[in-house]
PDB file of all heavy atoms in Angstrom:
ATOM      1  N   GLY A   1     -97.707  -4.386 -28.435  1.00 93.00           N
ATOM      2  CA  GLY A   1     -96.970  -5.183 -29.399  1.00 93.00           C
ATOM      3  C   GLY A   1     -97.834  -6.279 -29.966  1.00 93.00           C
ATOM      4  O   GLY A   1     -99.061  -6.230 -29.901  1.00 93.00           O
ATOM      5  N   THR A   2     -97.203  -7.298 -30.521  1.00 89.00           N
ATOM      6  CA  THR A   2     -97.902  -8.459 -31.048  1.00 89.00           C
ATOM      7  C   THR A   2     -97.348  -9.690 -30.348  1.00 89.00           C
ATOM      8  O   THR A   2     -96.318  -9.614 -29.664  1.00 89.00           O
ATOM      9  CB  THR A   2     -97.682  -8.604 -32.559  1.00 89.00           C
ATOM     10  OG1 THR A   2     -96.333  -9.066 -32.775  1.00 89.00           O
ATOM     11  CG2 THR A   2     -97.881  -7.281 -33.279  1.00 89.00           C
ATOM     12  N   PRO A   3     -97.981 -10.855 -30.528  1.00 84.00           N
ATOM     13  CA  PRO A   3     -97.442 -12.075 -29.905  1.00 84.00           C
ATOM     14  C   PRO A   3     -96.047 -12.462 -30.397  1.00 84.00           C
ATOM     15  O   PRO A   3     -95.392 -13.299 -29.781  1.00 84.00           O
ATOM     16  CB  PRO A   3     -98.481 -13.139 -30.280  1.00 84.00           C
ATOM     17  CG  PRO A   3     -99.750 -12.368 -30.446  1.00 84.00           C
ATOM     18  CD  PRO A   3     -99.335 -11.080 -31.075  1.00 84.00           C
ATOM     19  N   ASP A   4     -95.588 -11.876 -31.504  1.00 88.00           N
ATOM     20  CA  ASP A   4     -94.226 -12.123 -31.979  1.00 88.00           C
ATOM     21  C   ASP A   4     -93.272 -11.273 -31.149  1.00 88.00           C
ATOM     22  O   ASP A   4     -93.077 -10.084 -31.418  1.00 88.00           O
ATOM     23  CB  ASP A   4     -94.112 -11.776 -33.464  1.00 88.00           C
ATOM     24  CG  ASP A   4     -92.746 -12.124 -34.053  1.00 88.00           C
ATOM     25  OD1 ASP A   4     -91.762 -12.217 -33.285  1.00 88.00           O
ATOM     26  OD2 ASP A   4     -92.658 -12.291 -35.284  1.00 88.00           O
ATOM     27  N   ALA A   5     -92.675 -11.881 -30.128  1.00 88.00           N
ATOM     28  CA  ALA A   5     -91.882 -11.122 -29.165  1.00 88.00           C
ATOM     29  C   ALA A   5     -90.679 -10.434 -29.807  1.00 88.00           C
ATOM     30  O   ALA A   5     -90.379  -9.277 -29.503  1.00 88.00           O
ATOM     31  CB  ALA A   5     -91.415 -12.048 -28.037  1.00 88.00           C
ATOM     32  N   MET A   6     -89.974 -11.149 -30.694  1.00 88.00           N
ATOM     33  CA  MET A   6     -88.781 -10.555 -31.287  1.00 88.00           C
ATOM     34  C   MET A   6     -89.138  -9.369 -32.172  1.00 88.00           C
ATOM     35  O   MET A   6     -88.435  -8.359 -32.186  1.00 88.00           O
ATOM     36  CB  MET A   6     -88.012 -11.607 -32.080  1.00 88.00           C
ATOM     37  CG  MET A   6     -87.405 -12.702 -31.204  1.00 88.00           C
ATOM     38  SD  MET A   6     -86.402 -12.058 -29.830  1.00 88.00           S
ATOM     39  CE  MET A   6     -85.103 -11.227 -30.733  1.00 88.00           C
ATOM     40  N   ALA A   7     -90.246  -9.473 -32.910  1.00 88.00           N
ATOM     41  CA  ALA A   7     -90.679  -8.339 -33.734  1.00 88.00           C
ATOM     42  C   ALA A   7     -91.111  -7.171 -32.851  1.00 88.00           C
ATOM     43  O   ALA A   7     -90.851  -6.005 -33.165  1.00 88.00           O
ATOM     44  CB  ALA A   7     -91.819  -8.771 -34.649  1.00 88.00           C
ATOM     45  N   SER A   8     -91.752  -7.474 -31.727  1.00 94.00           N
ATOM     46  CA  SER A   8     -92.223  -6.419 -30.824  1.00 94.00           C
ATOM     47  C   SER A   8     -91.079  -5.749 -30.071  1.00 94.00           C
ATOM     48  O   SER A   8     -91.227  -4.611 -29.616  1.00 94.00           O
ATOM     49  CB  SER A   8     -93.215  -7.002 -29.814  1.00 94.00           C
ATOM     50  OG  SER A   8     -94.395  -7.416 -30.458  1.00 94.00           O
ATOM     51  N   ALA A   9     -89.956  -6.453 -29.913  1.00 95.00           N
ATOM     52  CA  ALA A   9     -88.831  -5.887 -29.165  1.00 95.00           C
ATOM     53  C   ALA A   9     -88.382  -4.560 -29.762  1.00 95.00           C
ATOM     54  O   ALA A   9     -88.040  -3.619 -29.038  1.00 95.00           O
ATOM     55  CB  ALA A   9     -87.671  -6.882 -29.131  1.00 95.00           C
ATOM     56  N   GLU A  10     -88.382  -4.462 -31.095  1.00 94.00           N
ATOM     57  CA  GLU A  10     -87.994  -3.213 -31.756  1.00 94.00           C
ATOM     58  C   GLU A  10     -88.931  -2.077 -31.347  1.00 94.00           C
ATOM     59  O   GLU A  10     -88.503  -0.957 -31.061  1.00 94.00           O
ATOM     60  CB  GLU A  10     -88.028  -3.393 -33.280  1.00 94.00           C
ATOM     61  CG  GLU A  10     -87.106  -4.466 -33.818  1.00 94.00           C
ATOM     62  CD  GLU A  10     -85.667  -3.988 -33.948  1.00 94.00           C
ATOM     63  OE1 GLU A  10     -85.389  -2.824 -33.593  1.00 94.00           O
ATOM     64  OE2 GLU A  10     -84.834  -4.795 -34.395  1.00 94.00           O
ATOM     65  N   LEU A  11     -90.240  -2.382 -31.337  1.00 95.00           N
ATOM     66  CA  LEU A  11     -91.242  -1.387 -30.954  1.00 95.00           C
ATOM     67  C   LEU A  11     -91.033  -0.948 -29.505  1.00 95.00           C
ATOM     68  O   LEU A  11     -91.062   0.253 -29.194  1.00 95.00           O
ATOM     69  CB  LEU A  11     -92.641  -1.972 -31.126  1.00 95.00           C
ATOM     70  CG  LEU A  11     -93.805  -1.149 -30.559  1.00 95.00           C
ATOM     71  CD1 LEU A  11     -94.005   0.125 -31.365  1.00 95.00           C
ATOM     72  CD2 LEU A  11     -95.091  -1.973 -30.546  1.00 95.00           C
ATOM     73  N   LEU A  12     -90.824  -1.920 -28.605  1.00 96.00           N
ATOM     74  CA  LEU A  12     -90.656  -1.597 -27.188  1.00 96.00           C
ATOM     75  C   LEU A  12     -89.456  -0.684 -26.975  1.00 96.00           C
ATOM     76  O   LEU A  12     -89.517   0.268 -26.190  1.00 96.00           O
ATOM     77  CB  LEU A  12     -90.495  -2.881 -26.376  1.00 96.00           C
ATOM     78  CG  LEU A  12     -91.772  -3.521 -25.827  1.00 96.00           C
ATOM     79  CD1 LEU A  12     -92.797  -3.794 -26.919  1.00 96.00           C
ATOM     80  CD2 LEU A  12     -91.440  -4.824 -25.104  1.00 96.00           C
ATOM     81  N   GLY A  13     -88.356  -0.992 -27.670  1.00 96.00           N
ATOM     82  CA  GLY A  13     -87.167  -0.157 -27.530  1.00 96.00           C
ATOM     83  C   GLY A  13     -87.380   1.232 -28.098  1.00 96.00           C
ATOM     84  O   GLY A  13     -87.002   2.238 -27.476  1.00 96.00           O
ATOM     85  N   ARG A  14     -88.007   1.306 -29.278  1.00 96.00           N
ATOM     86  CA  ARG A  14     -88.210   2.599 -29.936  1.00 96.00           C
ATOM     87  C   ARG A  14     -89.130   3.502 -29.123  1.00 96.00           C
ATOM     88  O   ARG A  14     -88.910   4.718 -29.029  1.00 96.00           O
ATOM     89  CB  ARG A  14     -88.785   2.374 -31.337  1.00 96.00           C
ATOM     90  CG  ARG A  14     -88.949   3.647 -32.141  1.00 96.00           C
ATOM     91  CD  ARG A  14     -89.361   3.366 -33.572  1.00 96.00           C
ATOM     92  NE  ARG A  14     -90.724   2.844 -33.666  1.00 96.00           N
ATOM     93  CZ  ARG A  14     -91.033   1.617 -34.030  1.00 96.00           C
ATOM     94  NH1 ARG A  14     -90.077   0.744 -34.303  1.00 96.00           N
ATOM     95  NH2 ARG A  14     -92.302   1.234 -34.115  1.00 96.00           N
ATOM     96  N   GLU A  15     -90.166   2.901 -28.499  1.00 97.00           N
ATOM     97  CA  GLU A  15     -91.133   3.698 -27.732  1.00 97.00           C
ATOM     98  C   GLU A  15     -90.783   3.791 -26.252  1.00 97.00           C
ATOM     99  O   GLU A  15     -91.586   4.257 -25.439  1.00 97.00           O
ATOM    100  CB  GLU A  15     -92.533   3.106 -27.904  1.00 97.00           C
ATOM    101  CG  GLU A  15     -93.040   3.115 -29.337  1.00 97.00           C
ATOM    102  CD  GLU A  15     -93.082   4.516 -29.927  1.00 97.00           C
ATOM    103  OE1 GLU A  15     -93.307   5.495 -29.160  1.00 97.00           O
ATOM    104  OE2 GLU A  15     -92.875   4.651 -31.151  1.00 97.00           O
ATOM    105  N   ARG A  16     -89.605   3.296 -25.882  1.00 97.00           N
ATOM    106  CA  ARG A  16     -89.048   3.434 -24.531  1.00 97.00           C
ATOM    107  C   ARG A  16     -89.943   2.799 -23.461  1.00 97.00           C
ATOM    108  O   ARG A  16     -90.131   3.358 -22.378  1.00 97.00           O
ATOM    109  CB  ARG A  16     -88.760   4.903 -24.190  1.00 97.00           C
ATOM    110  CG  ARG A  16     -87.923   5.619 -25.220  1.00 97.00           C
ATOM    111  CD  ARG A  16     -87.536   7.032 -24.805  1.00 97.00           C
ATOM    112  NE  ARG A  16     -88.634   7.822 -24.325  1.00 97.00           N
ATOM    113  CZ  ARG A  16     -89.556   8.402 -25.096  1.00 97.00           C
ATOM    114  NH1 ARG A  16     -89.494   8.255 -26.416  1.00 97.00           N
ATOM    115  NH2 ARG A  16     -90.522   9.116 -24.579  1.00 97.00           N
ATOM    116  N   ALA A  17     -90.519   1.639 -23.764  1.00 98.00           N
ATOM    117  CA  ALA A  17     -91.330   0.921 -22.771  1.00 98.00           C
ATOM    118  C   ALA A  17     -90.451   0.544 -21.584  1.00 98.00           C
ATOM    119  O   ALA A  17     -89.317   0.088 -21.758  1.00 98.00           O
ATOM    120  CB  ALA A  17     -91.934  -0.327 -23.386  1.00 98.00           C
ATOM    121  N   ASP A  18     -90.960   0.757 -20.371  1.00 97.00           N
ATOM    122  CA  ASP A  18     -90.135   0.460 -19.189  1.00 97.00           C
ATOM    123  C   ASP A  18     -90.661  -0.707 -18.349  1.00 97.00           C
ATOM    124  O   ASP A  18     -89.935  -1.268 -17.533  1.00 97.00           O
ATOM    125  CB  ASP A  18     -89.949   1.698 -18.308  1.00 97.00           C
ATOM    126  CG  ASP A  18     -91.261   2.359 -17.908  1.00 97.00           C
ATOM    127  OD1 ASP A  18     -92.327   1.752 -18.112  1.00 97.00           O
ATOM    128  OD2 ASP A  18     -91.221   3.485 -17.389  1.00 97.00           O
ATOM    129  N   VAL A  19     -91.937  -1.101 -18.537  1.00 98.00           N
ATOM    130  CA  VAL A  19     -92.494  -2.216 -17.772  1.00 98.00           C
ATOM    131  C   VAL A  19     -93.337  -3.073 -18.710  1.00 98.00           C
ATOM    132  O   VAL A  19     -94.029  -2.543 -19.584  1.00 98.00           O
ATOM    133  CB  VAL A  19     -93.336  -1.706 -16.578  1.00 98.00           C
ATOM    134  CG1 VAL A  19     -94.459  -0.791 -17.031  1.00 98.00           C
ATOM    135  CG2 VAL A  19     -93.893  -2.875 -15.762  1.00 98.00           C
ATOM    136  N   ALA A  20     -93.239  -4.401 -18.554  1.00 97.00           N
ATOM    137  CA  ALA A  20     -93.993  -5.292 -19.447  1.00 97.00           C
ATOM    138  C   ALA A  20     -94.497  -6.497 -18.675  1.00 97.00           C
ATOM    139  O   ALA A  20     -93.810  -7.023 -17.800  1.00 97.00           O
ATOM    140  CB  ALA A  20     -93.125  -5.758 -20.619  1.00 97.00           C
ATOM    141  N   LEU A  21     -95.722  -6.928 -19.015  1.00 96.00           N
ATOM    142  CA  LEU A  21     -96.261  -8.194 -18.515  1.00 96.00           C
ATOM    143  C   LEU A  21     -95.895  -9.272 -19.525  1.00 96.00           C
ATOM    144  O   LEU A  21     -96.214  -9.157 -20.716  1.00 96.00           O
ATOM    145  CB  LEU A  21     -97.777  -8.106 -18.354  1.00 96.00           C
ATOM    146  CG  LEU A  21     -98.504  -9.414 -18.003  1.00 96.00           C
ATOM    147  CD1 LEU A  21     -98.050  -9.936 -16.651  1.00 96.00           C
ATOM    148  CD2 LEU A  21    -100.018  -9.213 -18.016  1.00 96.00           C
ATOM    149  N   ILE A  22     -95.215 -10.316 -19.069  1.00 93.00           N
ATOM    150  CA  ILE A  22     -94.716 -11.370 -19.953  1.00 93.00           C
ATOM    151  C   ILE A  22     -95.363 -12.696 -19.556  1.00 93.00           C
ATOM    152  O   ILE A  22     -95.192 -13.173 -18.433  1.00 93.00           O
ATOM    153  CB  ILE A  22     -93.182 -11.491 -19.861  1.00 93.00           C
ATOM    154  CG1 ILE A  22     -92.519 -10.154 -20.215  1.00 93.00           C
ATOM    155  CG2 ILE A  22     -92.689 -12.608 -20.764  1.00 93.00           C
ATOM    156  CD1 ILE A  22     -92.651  -9.731 -21.653  1.00 93.00           C
ATOM    157  N   GLY A  23     -96.104 -13.297 -20.482  1.00 89.00           N
ATOM    158  CA  GLY A  23     -96.693 -14.607 -20.253  1.00 89.00           C
ATOM    159  C   GLY A  23     -95.701 -15.714 -20.531  1.00 89.00           C
ATOM    160  O   GLY A  23     -94.628 -15.485 -21.121  1.00 89.00           O
ATOM    161  N   HIS A  24     -96.068 -16.931 -20.113  1.00 86.00           N
ATOM    162  CA  HIS A  24     -95.152 -18.065 -20.253  1.00 86.00           C
ATOM    163  C   HIS A  24     -94.700 -18.271 -21.695  1.00 86.00           C
ATOM    164  O   HIS A  24     -93.552 -18.668 -21.945  1.00 86.00           O
ATOM    165  CB  HIS A  24     -95.834 -19.340 -19.743  1.00 86.00           C
ATOM    166  CG  HIS A  24     -94.981 -20.555 -19.905  1.00 86.00           C
ATOM    167  ND1 HIS A  24     -95.119 -21.418 -20.966  1.00 86.00           N
ATOM    168  CD2 HIS A  24     -93.962 -21.038 -19.161  1.00 86.00           C
ATOM    169  CE1 HIS A  24     -94.236 -22.395 -20.866  1.00 86.00           C
ATOM    170  NE2 HIS A  24     -93.525 -22.195 -19.779  1.00 86.00           N
ATOM    171  N   GLY A  25     -95.563 -17.989 -22.662  1.00 83.00           N
ATOM    172  CA  GLY A  25     -95.213 -18.179 -24.063  1.00 83.00           C
ATOM    173  C   GLY A  25     -94.051 -17.328 -24.532  1.00 83.00           C
ATOM    174  O   GLY A  25     -93.471 -17.590 -25.591  1.00 83.00           O
ATOM    175  N   HIS A  26     -93.695 -16.287 -23.755  1.00 89.00           N
ATOM    176  CA  HIS A  26     -92.589 -15.404 -24.131  1.00 89.00           C
ATOM    177  C   HIS A  26     -91.355 -15.584 -23.247  1.00 89.00           C
ATOM    178  O   HIS A  26     -90.398 -14.820 -23.372  1.00 89.00           O
ATOM    179  CB  HIS A  26     -93.045 -13.942 -24.078  1.00 89.00           C
ATOM    180  CG  HIS A  26     -94.019 -13.582 -25.158  1.00 89.00           C
ATOM    181  ND1 HIS A  26     -95.192 -12.902 -24.905  1.00 89.00           N
ATOM    182  CD2 HIS A  26     -94.014 -13.820 -26.493  1.00 89.00           C
ATOM    183  CE1 HIS A  26     -95.858 -12.731 -26.031  1.00 89.00           C
ATOM    184  NE2 HIS A  26     -95.167 -13.282 -27.001  1.00 89.00           N
ATOM    185  N   PHE A  27     -91.377 -16.574 -22.357  1.00 90.00           N
ATOM    186  CA  PHE A  27     -90.210 -16.787 -21.496  1.00 90.00           C
ATOM    187  C   PHE A  27     -88.964 -17.086 -22.328  1.00 90.00           C
ATOM    188  O   PHE A  27     -87.861 -16.651 -21.989  1.00 90.00           O
ATOM    189  CB  PHE A  27     -90.468 -17.932 -20.512  1.00 90.00           C
ATOM    190  CG  PHE A  27     -91.303 -17.547 -19.312  1.00 90.00           C
ATOM    191  CD1 PHE A  27     -91.985 -16.348 -19.268  1.00 90.00           C
ATOM    192  CD2 PHE A  27     -91.411 -18.399 -18.223  1.00 90.00           C
ATOM    193  CE1 PHE A  27     -92.764 -15.989 -18.176  1.00 90.00           C
ATOM    194  CE2 PHE A  27     -92.172 -18.055 -17.111  1.00 90.00           C
ATOM    195  CZ  PHE A  27     -92.858 -16.856 -17.094  1.00 90.00           C
ATOM    196  N   GLN A  28     -89.128 -17.840 -23.420  1.00 86.00           N
ATOM    197  CA  GLN A  28     -87.977 -18.158 -24.263  1.00 86.00           C
ATOM    198  C   GLN A  28     -87.379 -16.903 -24.889  1.00 86.00           C
ATOM    199  O   GLN A  28     -86.160 -16.796 -25.035  1.00 86.00           O
ATOM    200  CB  GLN A  28     -88.372 -19.148 -25.358  1.00 86.00           C
ATOM    201  CG  GLN A  28     -88.472 -20.594 -24.869  1.00 86.00           C
ATOM    202  CD  GLN A  28     -88.668 -21.576 -26.012  1.00 86.00           C
ATOM    203  OE1 GLN A  28     -89.411 -21.292 -26.949  1.00 86.00           O
ATOM    204  NE2 GLN A  28     -88.000 -22.718 -25.936  1.00 86.00           N
ATOM    205  N   ALA A  29     -88.242 -15.952 -25.242  1.00 90.00           N
ATOM    206  CA  ALA A  29     -87.732 -14.699 -25.815  1.00 90.00           C
ATOM    207  C   ALA A  29     -86.883 -13.945 -24.803  1.00 90.00           C
ATOM    208  O   ALA A  29     -85.852 -13.352 -25.156  1.00 90.00           O
ATOM    209  CB  ALA A  29     -88.896 -13.829 -26.283  1.00 90.00           C
ATOM    210  N   LEU A  30     -87.284 -13.970 -23.527  1.00 91.00           N
ATOM    211  CA  LEU A  30     -86.503 -13.288 -22.491  1.00 91.00           C
ATOM    212  C   LEU A  30     -85.117 -13.903 -22.348  1.00 91.00           C
ATOM    213  O   LEU A  30     -84.160 -13.210 -21.981  1.00 91.00           O
ATOM    214  CB  LEU A  30     -87.228 -13.356 -21.139  1.00 91.00           C
ATOM    215  CG  LEU A  30     -88.536 -12.579 -20.991  1.00 91.00           C
ATOM    216  CD1 LEU A  30     -89.065 -12.736 -19.565  1.00 91.00           C
ATOM    217  CD2 LEU A  30     -88.330 -11.108 -21.314  1.00 91.00           C
TER     218      LEU A  30
END
């Protein structure tokens, strides 16, 4: 994905990603 978590969420769902490493900068997105 890209550092834009919300934009990447669509990609993750479409490609059926099941595991992700999330850095502190994306905690708010979670």
Side-chain angles (χ1 to χ4, degrees):
T2 73
D4 185 337
M6 293 308 297
S8 293
E10 300 279 1
L11 170 69
L12 270 55
R14 184 173 69 248
E15 298 302 329
R16 308 185 311 283
D18 54 12
V19 57
L21 173 63
I22 302 292
H24 178 262
H26 290 132
F27 281 12
Q28 281 188 320
L30 292 182

